Amino acid sequence: MGAQADPDLGAVFKKRRLTLVITDSGLGGLAVMEDIAGKIRESGCFRNVSLVFVNALFDENVGYNALRTRKEKADMFDRVLKAIDERYHPDAILVGCNTLSVILDDTFFSEWSDTPVIGIVDAGIQLINDELKADTSSRVIIFGTETTIEEESHRKGLLELGTDNERIITKACPQLQSYIEQNPLSEETEMLIAAYMNEALEGLDESDGRVHISLNCSHYGYSESLWSKAIEESSFRKGRILNPNSHMGDFLSSEKCRRRYNNPKNSFLVVSKVRMPNAVTISSFFQENSPEMAEALKNYTLVPDLF
């Protein structure tokens, strides 16, 4: 769902050197890249991995959710995927963006390209499903952008896995990702998260078990403490905060090649078609654990003709 059907990753694990591209319609997917870099270092499956983050945003002031139709969104993202393939020749593309993942199947690229493309939606569905199965009285609120929620990909996937519809609540959060990029912990961001949380909880029975919070926009994890605070200040029993950003790269820890190399190396490149005024702010989240990636973000490459 939100990716090619069963992308062939067998060739990836036969290689010593990889180029992986992570793309998002903003800076949230950098959290996916950091997690992937950590898994690569820990697994030792590859000797060298070039990690490239491609900002899929086409206009500094207008995002994909502002485009009027699904076709417009898919056509724009198709241009991005073609450019990624032609410029960087990646061994795999990871779409660390729920908005783009839910329209991925409508792109021509996903139909004809042999380059494996992996969307984040399936990771989110699996994470939610595991939690709901472990606690059969719990419920989940799926927070996301307008496009992500309108597509209902997460709900459909969970229903296919046998989850009762009554256990699934969805809530769109217009403009929240923009506030988070400007300052993930600002008063304005906190107020928006609290408002969306309260709206999502309306009409629910407080006695019906714990409520899990699923963050299905890659930006939302930067404000995880505010999501926790918002549910804790309600009268509902808090479940887990579910963030698929830290699960999308799990396939890179395959036991088939574990510890093949003792000192794997990662390199980082961040590119964007448009200016990223919040790059320095977001880079601070990675400075301690991934200083090389933080530097790549602060010194990102501006490519006006990127796609």
Side-chain angles (χ1 to χ4, degrees):
M1 183 177 296
Q4 296 159 325
D6 300 319
D8 183 10
L9 297 171
V12 169
F13 291 100
K14 295 177 182 178
K15 297 189 175 186
R16 293 184 296 177
R17 301 174 185 272
L18 283 184
T19 296
L20 297 177
V21 172
I22 299 92
T23 188
D24 191 351
S25 57
L27 301 182
L30 287 155
V32 174
M33 186 158 81
E34 183 193 36
D35 180 73
I36 286 171
K39 285 183 167 69
I40 289 169
R41 285 193 297 268
E42 195 274 332
S43 72
C45 284
F46 310 101
R47 176 175 290 170
N48 296 95
V49 179
S50 174
L51 292 166
V52 182
F53 179 83
V54 174
N55 181 10
L57 195 61
F58 56 90
D59 187 298
E60 189 177 338
N61 302 305
V62 179
Y64 283 81
N65 289 293
L67 296 177
R68 293 174 298 172
T69 67
R70 181 187 178 96
K71 185 178 187 305
E72 286 181 311
K73 297 170 187 177
D75 287 349
M76 180 59 70
F77 190 40
D78 192 57
R79 287 172 51 189
V80 176
L81 292 170
K82 289 176 182 175
I84 287 172
D85 207 41
E86 291 170 1
R87 284 178 179 268
Y88 303 107
H89 308 289
D91 296 289
I93 300 172
L94 291 88
V95 185
C97 174
N98 289 268
T99 296
L100 298 182
S101 291
V102 298
I103 63 172
L104 177 57
D105 288 340
D106 279 8
T107 64
F108 288 114
F109 187 88
S110 68
E111 295 179 9
W112 61 261
S113 177
D114 292 329
T115 303
V117 184
I118 302 164
I120 197 171
V121 170
D122 282 340
I125 291 171
Q126 191 60 56
L127 185 59
I128 296 168
N129 184 63
D130 290 347
E131 206 59 42
L132 293 180
K133 279 191 172 181
D135 183 352
T136 57
S137 66
S138 63
R139 297 156 289 176
V140 64
I141 302 176
I142 298 171
F143 291 97
T145 67
E146 301 99 300
T147 298
T148 297
I149 299 305
E150 286 168 5
E151 290 294 323
E152 294 234 294
S153 296
H154 294 85
R155 183 188 296 275
K156 292 172 186 174
L158 290 167
L159 293 176
E160 289 175 4
L161 293 172
T163 301
D164 291 336
N165 190 51
E166 293 75 17
R167 300 177 69 191
I168 308 167
I169 302 97
T170 60
K171 178 59 185 172
C173 306
Q175 298 301 315
L176 179 57
Q177 70 274 15
S178 297
Y179 280 88
I180 288 175
E181 274 205 9
Q182 293 170 35
N183 188 337
L185 303 177
S186 71
E187 184 177 345
E188 291 83 0
T189 300
E190 181 176 3
M191 289 174 63
L192 264 182
I193 288 174
Y196 290 137
M197 181 70 72
N198 290 334
E199 290 173 8
L201 292 170
E202 284 181 7
L204 297 185
D205 190 330
E206 298 173 13
S207 63
D208 280 349
R210 296 188 301 157
V211 179
H212 303 296
I213 306 304
S214 185
L215 306 181
N216 296 105
C217 169
S218 56
H219 291 74
Y220 293 176
Y222 294 133
S223 305
E224 186 169 328
S225 62
L226 299 184
W227 293 102
S228 290
K229 182 179 179 182
I231 185 67
E232 287 166 358
E233 290 182 346
S234 76
S235 54
F236 288 78
R237 291 170 56 200
K238 176 189 174 186
R240 288 189 58 207
I241 304 293
L242 307 177
N243 186 355
N245 289 0
S246 57
H247 292 270
M248 191 178 181
D250 286 353
F251 74 96
L252 290 166
S253 299
S254 173
E255 291 297 327
K256 297 178 182 178
C257 60
R258 198 167 183 80
R259 298 301 174 198
R260 186 164 56 175
Y261 299 105
N262 293 325
N263 190 27
K265 302 291 185 183
N266 292 324
S267 64
F268 299 93
L269 175 66
V270 178
V271 297
S272 179
K273 176 183 177 69
V274 299
R275 291 189 319 110
M276 299 194 299
N278 303 312
V280 174
T281 299
I282 297 300
S283 71
S284 64
F285 280 79
F286 308 114
Q287 189 63 53
E288 182 176 352
N289 295 325
S290 189
E292 291 181 16
M293 194 183 104
E295 286 303 308
L297 176 54
K298 284 189 284 188
N299 300 292
Y300 70 90
T301 302
L302 187 63
V303 185
D305 63 345
L306 181 59
F307 53 84

